[in-house]
Amino acid sequence: MEKAYEMFLGQLVFSTNDPRIDIMENYDLVVDPQWLSWLDRKISSCTDVEEKMALRDLNNMILDIKKRVELSKAQEERAAKEAEEAEQQRIAAAEAEMEKGRAMSGSDVLRKAAAVDTAGVDKIVQEQSGGEKKKTFYETDLTPEIRMSYEDMCKNVLPPYKAGETVATVVFN
């Protein structure tokens, strides 16, 4: 296995393509836990500083792409779940409307038809009067995908404070 991992590492490092493209093309191999642990061992046992930095950058790139793929999968799952819930609500509303329709008299049906006839005009008037406003980014809830995407950045930007430390104690000491 050692020889195969070395060959795969050489393929990633010395490829003429962008490493991110090669990582995505070989995604299953790259995110294999055994290969990642082998790469970590290779980084820790490496004595050449430049090689160690390059391997660490490659490892960080792999982990970044792995996280992005996981985030996109989580977002797709959440979007599918929300779409399914919206469809269920639409079906429930349609069934409730059908039940109301069965109990309607002839004159009720005519009134309902007149309301449907003017529904498009009523909707336009409501939109122009500012009926239903779209939420801005600041008014929406943060999704788990958004929170996860900022974790790494915050780890890089924010210092690793210990209990009892403040910004002032870290800066002035």
Side-chain angles (χ1 to χ4, degrees):
M1 248 0 227
E2 185 82 18
K3 195 84 162 159
Y5 287 157
E6 285 287 343
M7 289 177 60
F8 182 58
L9 178 63
Q11 179 185 353
L12 285 176
V13 171
F14 298 114
S15 173
T16 57
N17 296 333
D18 182 15
R20 294 180 192 278
I21 294 172
D22 290 334
I23 290 169
M24 285 305 296
E25 287 176 353
N26 300 304
Y27 183 76
D28 292 335
L29 296 172
V30 169
V31 298
D32 180 36
Q34 291 177 342
W35 191 81
L36 287 173
S37 64
W38 176 85
L39 184 60
D40 286 336
R41 286 193 310 273
K42 176 105 174 143
I43 292 170
S44 62
S45 66
C46 186
T47 56
D48 184 21
V49 176
E50 290 178 358
E51 182 181 356
K52 193 172 201 166
M53 286 176 47
L55 290 175
R56 192 172 287 137
D57 287 343
L58 178 66
N59 191 28
N60 289 339
M61 193 180 303
I62 290 169
L63 295 176
D64 180 52
I65 290 174
K66 180 181 176 183
K67 188 166 194 155
R68 288 177 192 249
V69 168
E70 290 170 355
L71 285 174
S72 66
K73 285 181 183 176
Q75 182 186 21
E76 288 172 3
E77 289 172 2
R78 187 178 53 79
K81 184 179 176 183
E82 288 175 354
E84 183 180 326
E85 289 173 357
E87 181 65 16
Q88 289 174 352
Q89 288 176 353
R90 186 190 68 78
I91 290 172
E95 287 175 354
E97 190 70 26
M98 282 188 332
E99 290 301 319
K100 286 181 188 177
R102 288 187 183 132
M104 290 173 50
S105 66
S107 60
D108 291 337
V109 171
L110 291 175
R111 271 187 245 129
K112 184 81 169 175
V116 169
D117 190 35
T118 61
V121 175
D122 292 341
K123 184 177 178 184
I124 292 171
V125 169
Q126 184 181 13
E127 286 176 0
Q128 288 177 350
S129 65
E132 209 175 296
K133 286 191 172 183
K134 194 172 185 179
K135 285 186 174 182
T136 64
F137 175 76
Y138 297 109
E139 295 170 340
T140 58
D141 294 331
L142 291 179
T143 62
E145 295 85 26
I146 293 173
R147 291 182 191 279
M148 286 174 53
S149 68
Y150 284 104
E151 281 179 13
D152 289 336
M153 183 190 68
C154 289
K155 285 179 186 175
N156 291 336
V157 174
L158 299 175
Y161 294 122
K162 297 176 185 154
E165 285 185 336
T166 63
V167 176
T169 60
V170 170
V171 171
F172 294 117
N173 291 335

